[in-house]
Amino acid sequence: MTLLRTAAPADVPAILGMIHDLAVYEKEPDAVKNTVEMLHANLFGENPQIFSHVVDSPVPGEPIVGYSLWFLNYSTWEGTLGIHLEDLYVRPETRGGGHGKALLRELAKIAVERGYARVEWSVLDWNEPSINFYKSIGAAPMDGWHVFRLDGAELSNFGTPARDAAQALA
């Protein structure tokens, strides 16, 4: 039985630990800059814009075994909101127990109840176990689309106001 619930402030350290575990799995072990304080503020601050569900361990006193982290997006074509799943992670030793499916089903349930158009996420092209899992629940890749990202120095350079008219026209 999967013990699924909305994340609570006390879950933040465990969620952050699993974010680090996910980064290792995705071959980016040093990429996480998030802290307990930052994650807590984003999930439980005055106006939270991200949301999380967790799966409790079946063993009392043990840490949570999985989490989802998500936020709302908007479809201009559908004219309604959707859910963007940023992270879905289940500890390796507890995979196969239905926890990932329960987390995804909860997001689908929320989308249906609220009249949202979709639940979407990204997956690394080499992550065959996850791709196969997503396909098994009826999810389909978005053929013909590529994910683009502007971050780091490029974001800073592009987002900094031009210092002169020549730079603005470049």
Side-chain angles (χ1 to χ4, degrees):
M1 177 173 83
T2 298
L3 307 167
L4 180 72
R5 62 179 171 79
T6 301
D11 298 317
V12 170
I15 294 170
L16 185 61
M18 286 188 283
I19 289 171
H20 283 276
D21 293 345
L22 180 59
V24 169
Y25 177 76
E26 293 183 350
K27 302 177 175 125
E28 294 283 345
D30 300 321
V32 178
K33 295 176 179 68
N34 207 347
T35 65
V36 167
E37 295 78 17
M38 292 165 66
L39 187 56
H40 185 275
N42 284 302
L43 282 168
F44 302 105
E46 188 173 315
N47 186 24
Q49 300 296 309
I50 62 170
F51 310 95
S52 181
H53 289 87
V54 298
V55 177
D56 283 322
S57 170
V59 179
E62 291 289 320
I64 58 177
V65 299
Y67 77 99
S68 64
L69 191 68
W70 57 278
F71 55 88
L72 298 178
N73 59 21
Y74 182 75
S75 170
T76 56
W77 290 9
E78 296 286 338
T80 189
L81 295 169
I83 291 175
H84 178 83
L85 175 61
E86 182 66 17
D87 285 357
L88 176 71
Y89 185 79
V90 175
R91 293 185 192 277
E93 64 274 14
T94 65
R95 290 181 187 156
H99 307 314
K101 188 178 281 188
L103 287 162
L104 274 171
R105 184 162 295 170
E106 181 66 14
L107 295 185
K109 178 182 159 204
I110 290 168
V112 169
E113 287 174 351
R114 296 180 186 179
Y116 296 167
R118 61 185 173 220
V119 176
E120 63 186 10
W121 59 93
S122 298
V123 60
L124 292 166
D125 58 6
W126 55 261
N127 191 347
E128 286 297 323
S130 293
I131 292 168
N132 292 335
F133 166 64
Y134 298 142
K135 286 180 177 179
S136 79
I137 64 162
M142 297 287 296
D143 292 334
W145 292 82
H146 294 278
V147 175
F148 279 78
R149 179 174 289 165
L150 188 58
D151 64 2
E154 291 81 7
L155 174 63
S156 182
N157 290 339
F158 193 69
T160 303
R163 301 199 194 293
D164 59 42
Q167 232 182 344
L169 296 175

